[in-house]
Amino acid sequence: MCVYLPAQADSNDSLLGLLDGVTRLFAACSKSIAGIDRCAVLVADLQSSVRICTELPPEEYFEMINQIWAAMEPIFRKYYGTHGKHVGDGMVYYFFPQPDCNYILNALKCAQEMKDAMRKISKEWQIRRIG
């Protein structure tokens, strides 16, 4: 298992709790689903979401979350990600082996493209809040 967490990740962070739940769920499911012995799991969580939620009016916060989900969905599809679940402001997607591509590389490319998309969304919201 390969896990990337930012250097400042706190062990009490909701991402770590979500990741723990996902790994337990996958371990349980992989024992019960014949033929699935490997996959890549991508877990994404909005950093500082509690702070953002307190700074934005509720309708703007949910508009931003919906914008993020809408921007990420095509990226996941592009790299053959399978929807796991949305948990609050977090997302879980699975990348299963494909006959014509590398599922691990797909997960990594997806994560990088998501990171780039989030930079753009963040910049848009920063400008919006200032203007």
Side-chain angles (χ1 to χ4, degrees):
M1 174 182 277
C2 173
V3 176
Y4 166 77
L5 292 174
Q8 70 274 21
D10 179 359
S11 62
N12 294 322
D13 191 357
S14 63
L15 175 60
L16 293 177
L18 179 61
L19 183 58
D20 181 55
V22 168
T23 55
R24 289 173 196 261
L25 175 66
F26 183 72
C29 289
S30 65
K31 291 177 185 172
S32 64
I33 301 174
I36 297 180
D37 59 355
R38 60 199 163 141
C39 82
V41 180
L42 195 152
V43 179
D45 193 32
L46 181 62
Q47 289 181 333
S48 305
S49 61
V50 172
R51 180 185 55 79
I52 294 168
C53 185
T54 60
E55 291 177 357
L56 292 176
E59 62 277 359
E60 286 186 28
Y61 176 76
F62 289 111
E63 178 185 345
M64 178 179 36
I65 295 300
N66 288 329
Q67 179 184 4
I68 292 168
W69 287 350
M72 298 307 142
E73 186 64 33
I75 298 170
F76 284 116
R77 278 196 310 268
K78 176 180 176 181
Y79 294 104
Y80 306 104
T82 300
H83 179 261
K85 66 189 313 185
H86 287 157
V87 180
D89 56 20
M91 302 174 183
V92 178
Y93 274 77
Y94 302 98
F95 295 82
F96 297 103
Q98 302 286 324
D100 59 343
C101 58
N102 183 318
Y103 70 101
I104 295 172
L105 187 56
N106 281 352
L108 293 171
K109 286 180 178 180
C110 182
Q112 184 59 52
E113 196 166 323
M114 287 176 58
K115 189 175 174 182
D116 295 341
M118 279 305 302
R119 281 191 187 112
K120 290 177 186 173
I121 292 170
S122 178
K123 186 78 122 177
E124 287 174 21
W125 278 87
Q126 288 172 6
I127 291 169
R128 181 176 172 172
R129 296 298 293 165
I130 293 171

